[in-house]
Amino acid sequence: MAKERSSGAGDPARTLELLWRDAASAPAGRRGPRQGLTVDAVVEAAVALADEGGLDALSMRAVAQRLGVTPMTLYTYVPGKAELLDLMLDLVFLRMERAAFAPDEPWRERVRAVADGNRALYLRHPWLAELRVHRPPLGPGVMTKYEHELGAFEGLGLDDVAMDSALAHLLGFVQSAARAELDARAVDRESAMSDHEWWDAHAPLLARMFDEERFPLASRVGEAAAVAYQGMYSPEYAYGFGLARVLDGLAALIPPGAAGR
């Protein structure tokens, strides 16, 4: 179900209580064999499951089994999977590595650091690319991430709406690039063959079937790209090329006097 892969699909009030939880919000009258179980432990177990098998492997029952409790015990800590997904998202956002911005650091380097940090996060937690985040949970992780990443655009002469839009544009590119890279990794894994190996295996047949006179541009450009990529596709090349174009586009928004900061 789409709902089970979307953020913000649970009870908003209960989700916010859990996101900003403290000792006073801990559930009373805990049941089950694990009296020491906490919301934190539940979220940690859920993240580990998703890291190992993706969102398809994540269910309240699977989390309960991992923790050695019954599903009913788990529901005394987290109302359901929708709220759990929000807690998982906020946790990995809170813990992600963040590059410190030096006062005199060029803006392109700051923005590139934001992009690289988010790419690394997707590759560390591939299930994030499967999650629809239209309404992000406004927890400490989401807010810390947003505050930090806006700092890459601070002082560049952009108004507040432009800063928010620039960040959203950057993160949208990173998510798209990460999805493509994760898809490529999945194809390699499922076929037990890398792009380079696939190309070597099929090159003789393609050479016999492919008409270079009929497709002169495709032949020339395709061959050049295959050599550059060392295969049919290079996630690193695509990411680097795309990020450079995003930075070039953002540069058009920045007043000349602020661009050197």
Side-chain angles (χ1 to χ4, degrees), residues 98-137:
R98 304 181 218 282
F101 301 139
D104 58 347
E105 187 176 10
W107 73 266
R108 284 177 180 261
E109 294 306 311
R110 299 203 307 271
V111 174
R112 185 183 300 277
V114 170
D116 290 348
N118 278 273
R119 181 186 182 221
L121 185 69
Y122 279 113
L123 299 184
R124 189 177 304 116
H125 304 288
W127 54 271
L128 282 175
E130 305 175 47
L131 190 62
R132 299 182 182 91
V133 189
H134 178 63
R135 297 173 180 170

Side-chain angles (χ1 to χ4, degrees), residues 221-239:
V221 175
E223 182 177 355
V227 171
Y229 304 157
Q230 291 296 298
M232 297 181 65
Y233 172 71
S234 169
E236 292 78 12
Y237 189 98
Y239 173 75

Side-chain angles (χ1 to χ4, degrees), residues 10-154:
D11 179 348
R14 184 63 180 129
T15 297
L16 283 173
E17 289 176 358
L18 287 168
L19 287 168
W20 296 94
R21 61 192 176 278
D22 54 30
S25 66
R30 294 173 176 154
R31 300 188 299 271
R34 291 284 300 277
Q35 297 299 315
L37 191 61
T38 64
V39 173
D40 290 338
V42 172
V43 180
E44 294 271 11
V47 169
L49 276 171
D51 285 348
E52 294 166 6
L55 293 183
D56 288 339
L58 182 68
S59 68
M60 297 295 281
R61 181 175 295 279
V63 175
Q65 289 176 343
R66 193 179 190 95
L67 291 169
V69 300
T70 65
M72 288 305 298
T73 298
L74 204 62
Y75 284 109
T76 66
Y77 294 88
V78 179
K81 185 176 178 180
E83 292 82 3
L84 182 57
L85 285 171
D86 286 342
L87 293 169
M88 293 165 59
L89 178 67
D90 199 70
L91 177 65
V92 297
F93 278 2
L94 186 63
R95 290 184 174 177
M96 72 179 290
E97 295 183 4
R98 304 181 218 282
F101 301 139
D104 58 347
E105 187 176 10
W107 73 266
R108 284 177 180 261
E109 294 306 311
R110 299 203 307 271
V111 174
R112 185 183 300 277
V114 170
D116 290 348
N118 278 273
R119 181 186 182 221
L121 185 69
Y122 279 113
L123 299 184
R124 189 177 304 116
H125 304 288
W127 54 271
L128 282 175
E130 305 175 47
L131 190 62
R132 299 182 182 91
V133 189
H134 178 63
R135 297 173 180 170
L138 300 181
V142 168
M143 297 307 297
T144 298
K145 182 176 185 292
Y146 184 52
E147 176 76 15
H148 174 78
E149 293 174 350
L150 285 173
F153 299 91
E154 179 71 344

Side-chain angles (χ1 to χ4, degrees), residues 106 167 200:
L167 177 58
D200 284 345

